[in-house]
Amino acid sequence: ARFIAFAVDGAAPALILLNAHFEPLSITVPAASGVARWRMEIDTTEANGAAKGALAPGETYEVPARALLMMLGEGGPETASER
């Protein structure tokens, strides 16, 4: 499969998924410190590129074939090191 995924940590955590394969690929949404859910922002399989919905860490998601997705991390409980 031709697939890459990476998370960018910072003030606004982001998750980028790129599936260059001709078939969809199932992934498990990763956990990240301070992220309770990943909100979909960009989906290149949509006509306008906008995405809808959110996924919780640990959920399974099928990344469409030949797609680029970007998700932003949203609120979660603080960890002891962040207080």
Side-chain angles (χ1 to χ4, degrees):
R2 291 166 174 84
F3 181 84
I4 187 169
F6 59 95
V8 179
D9 194 16
L15 179 62
I16 310 294
L17 307 170
L18 174 62
N19 183 8
H21 198 55
F22 62 88
E23 294 181 334
L25 179 68
S26 290
I27 62 143
T28 299
V29 178
S33 179
V35 174
R37 68 190 158 279
W38 293 99
R39 180 175 34 92
M40 302 272 208
E41 284 292 314
I42 297 172
D43 180 348
T44 59
T45 63
E46 295 294 329
N48 65 359
K52 296 178 185 165
L55 299 169
E59 278 189 64
T60 301
Y61 180 75
E62 190 169 274
V63 180
R66 297 186 173 109
L68 172 77
L69 306 174
M70 184 181 88
M71 302 176 201
L72 295 179
E74 292 187 327
E78 289 183 275
T79 63
S81 65
E82 295 172 329
R83 289 186 200 134

